[in-house]
C-alpha cells in the first residue's frame, strides 16, 4: 500500500465521501503480523490501566482474533450493539467529511498499517490506532452517543468559527482522555490505549498534569501533537461527558472563548481541580513543547 496518506482530494478509487474498499484480502502476512505484535503488547499492558468500557469493547467485538480485523465483520458486530459501523478511508479526510460520517455513526478508519520499524510512533493514524484505539469504545452506548453528538457539533462548528476549540475537546477526550473509576484513574483515549509508551506515561509518570474535566477549560487549552501529553483531563464517567455535551449550547461558548486567551500547555489556572500537578520534567528534558493552537 502507498506510504502517502494525506490527500487534497479523494484519490483514485475513493468516492466523493472519501470511502474506499478496505481491501482486507490484500493485506500481507507481514502486515497481519504487525497488528498481532501491537495487539499483544497492548493486551499485556491494558487490563490494569484501561477503562472497563474499553476492555469490554475489545471482548464484545472479538478484536483479540489474530490479524487485522475485517471491517465488514467488525461492523456487523458493532451495528448490533450501538448502530455504528467502521468504514475505510485512504488517510486523513477533510473536516466536513469526517463530521458527516460521525454524525451518521460511521467511523472512518485508515486501511493501511505501519511498518515493523514504526511500531512505537507513526505521525498519521493507521488501522491499528483507528480500530484498536477507537472502535472498542463505540460498543459503549454512552460513548457511542457522544461520538455522534460530536459529529453533529462539528458540522455546526464549521459555520460558527469554533473548530479550533471543538478540536481541543476531541483531543483531550477521544484521543487522550482519562476517566476516574472506583477512585482510580484509567485511560480511554485512543492515542493512549494504542501506544505502549503513553499507556504507562499517562498514569505513572510524574511529569504531566492530571486535571478534572471542565468543558470550557479543555476548549481553551493548547495541546502537543508530536509527543506525550503534558495535560490529561479526567472525566467522571462517559454518561456525564455525554450529558455535558448534549446540554451545552456551543454557539455562545465559542463567542465567549473567542475573547479569552488560550491556556498554554502545562499551565495550571484558577478553578482547576488538580488531581496531580506535574513536574514537567519530561517536557524540559525534551527541550520544551510543540503545540497545535
Amino acid at each position: 500500500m502507498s506510504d502517502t496518506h494525506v490527500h487534497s482530494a479523494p484519490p483514485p478509487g475513493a468516492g466523493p465521501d472519501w470511502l474506499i474498499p478496505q481491501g482486507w484480502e490484500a493485506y500481507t502476512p507481514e502486515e497481519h503480523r504487525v497488528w498481532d505484535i501491537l495487539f499483544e503488547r497492548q493486551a499485556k499492558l491494558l487490563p490494569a490501566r484501561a477503562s472497563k468500557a474499553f476492555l469490554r469493547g475489545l471482548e464484545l467485538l472479538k478484536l483479540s482474533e489474530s490479524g487485522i480485523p475485517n471491517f465488514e465483520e467488525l461492523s456487523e458486530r458493532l451495528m448490533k450493539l450501538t448502530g455504528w459501523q467502521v468504514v475505510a478511508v485512504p488517510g486523513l479526510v477533510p473536516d466536513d467529511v469526517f463530521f458527516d460520517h460521525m454524525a451518521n455513526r460511521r467511523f472512518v478508519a485508515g486501511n493501511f498499517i505501519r511498518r515493523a520499524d514504526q511500531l512505537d510512533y507513526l505521525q498519521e493514524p493507521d488501522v491499528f490506532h483507528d480500530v484498536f484505539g477507537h472502535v472498542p469504545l463505540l460498543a459503549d452506548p454512552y460513548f457511542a452517543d457522544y461520538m455522534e453528538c460530536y459529529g453533529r457539533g462539528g458540522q455546526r462548528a464549521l459555520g460558527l468559527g469554533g473548530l479550533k476549540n471543538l478540536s481541543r475537546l476531541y483531543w483531550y477526550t477521544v484521543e487522550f482522555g482519562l476517566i476516574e473509576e472506583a477512585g482510580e484513574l484509567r485511560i480511554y483515549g485512543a492515542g493512549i490505549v494504542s501506544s505502549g509508551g503513553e499507556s504507562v506515561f499517562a498514569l505513572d509518570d510524574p511529569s504531566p498534569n492530571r486535571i478534572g474535566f471542565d468543558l470550557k477549560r479543555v476548549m481553551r487549552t493548547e495541546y502537543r501533537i508530536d509527543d506525550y501529553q503534558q495535560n490529561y483531563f479526567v472525566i467522571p464517567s462517559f454518561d456525564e461527558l455525554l450529558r455535558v455535551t448534549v446540554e451545552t449550547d456551543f454557539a455562545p461558548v465559542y463567542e465567549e472563548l473567542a475573547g479569552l486567551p488560550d491556556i498554554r500547555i502545562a499551565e495550571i489556572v484558577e478553578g482547576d481541580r488538580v488531581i496531580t500537578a506535574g513536574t514537567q520534567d519530561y517536557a524540559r528534558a525534551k527541550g520544551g513543547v510543540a503545540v497545535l493552537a
Side-chain angles (χ1 to χ4, degrees):
M1 296 182 181
S2 170
D3 287 334
T4 301
H5 308 294
V6 179
H7 308 275
S8 58
D17 57 5
W18 289 72
L19 298 189
I20 60 173
Q22 182 190 8
W24 186 87
E25 66 284 347
Y27 290 122
T28 66
E30 173 64 11
E31 289 173 322
H32 285 298
R33 188 180 75 86
V34 168
W35 171 281
D36 288 343
I37 291 171
L38 291 166
F39 186 96
E40 182 179 2
R41 181 175 69 179
Q42 293 308 102
K44 292 177 180 177
L45 281 173
L46 295 182
R49 296 177 177 276
S51 70
K52 294 178 181 177
F54 179 86
L55 296 173
R56 184 166 57 248
L58 283 179
E59 182 178 351
L60 290 171
L61 297 174
K62 301 180 181 180
L63 287 176
S64 61
E65 295 179 356
S66 180
I68 299 169
N70 182 304
F71 287 5
E72 290 185 7
E73 297 174 359
L74 181 58
S75 293
E76 184 177 353
R77 298 177 190 130
L78 191 56
M79 283 285 290
K80 292 177 180 178
L81 294 168
T82 59
W84 276 81
Q85 58 183 308
V86 182
V87 293
V89 290
L92 297 174
V93 301
D95 292 327
D96 60 331
V97 175
F98 179 71
F99 293 138
D100 179 70
H101 285 302
M102 286 186 68
N104 289 282
R105 297 204 170 213
R106 296 186 297 265
F107 187 78
V108 296
N111 70 335
F112 64 95
I113 192 163
R114 68 196 74 182
R115 302 189 308 268
D117 62 350
Q118 299 173 313
L119 293 181
D120 293 321
Y121 180 74
L122 188 69
Q123 186 173 3
E124 299 165 15
D126 68 342
V127 68
F128 186 78
H129 169 87
D130 284 341
V131 173
F132 181 90
H134 283 283
V135 174
L137 278 181
L138 292 176
D140 178 82
Y142 290 114
F143 197 80
D145 287 352
Y146 172 68
M147 291 288 276
E148 179 187 347
C149 288
Y150 187 92
R152 297 189 185 281
Q155 292 175 317
R156 190 176 182 217
L158 290 173
L160 294 174
L163 187 58
K164 179 181 76 171
N165 299 115
L166 192 67
S167 296
R168 291 169 174 172
L169 177 61
Y170 189 91
W171 189 264
Y172 281 121
T173 58
V174 179
E175 290 291 354
F176 290 96
L178 302 183
I179 188 171
E180 195 165 12
E181 293 182 342
E184 296 183 332
L185 300 186
R186 292 289 183 265
I187 58 180
Y188 73 89
I192 311 177
V193 297
S194 63
S195 165
E198 197 147 6
S199 294
V200 175
F201 180 88
L203 294 182
D204 296 354
D205 200 282
S207 184
N209 298 322
R210 300 173 182 90
I211 301 169
F213 178 85
D214 176 83
L215 181 68
K216 294 179 183 178
R217 184 355 174 155
V218 167
M219 294 174 73
R220 289 179 59 194
T221 306
E222 296 174 335
Y223 59 85
R224 62 180 308 152
I225 61 175
D226 63 336
D227 208 333
Y228 299 155
Q229 303 302 300
Q230 290 302 299
N231 288 322
Y232 296 100
F233 291 94
V234 183
I235 63 171
S237 64
F238 294 125
D239 56 324
E240 177 63 13
L241 177 63
L242 175 63
R243 185 194 65 78
V244 170
T245 305
V246 170
E247 295 181 1
T248 298
D249 181 355
F250 280 77
V253 173
Y254 296 142
E255 292 181 9
E256 178 185 350
L257 297 186
L260 296 174
D262 290 338
I263 299 174
R264 302 293 295 177
I265 289 176
E267 184 178 353
I268 300 291
V269 299
E270 183 179 357
D272 280 347
R273 182 173 73 87
V274 180
I275 298 169
T276 58
T279 64
Q280 308 306 320
D281 289 344
Y282 179 86
R284 281 192 290 270
K286 300 284 283 191
V289 296
V291 303
L292 177 63

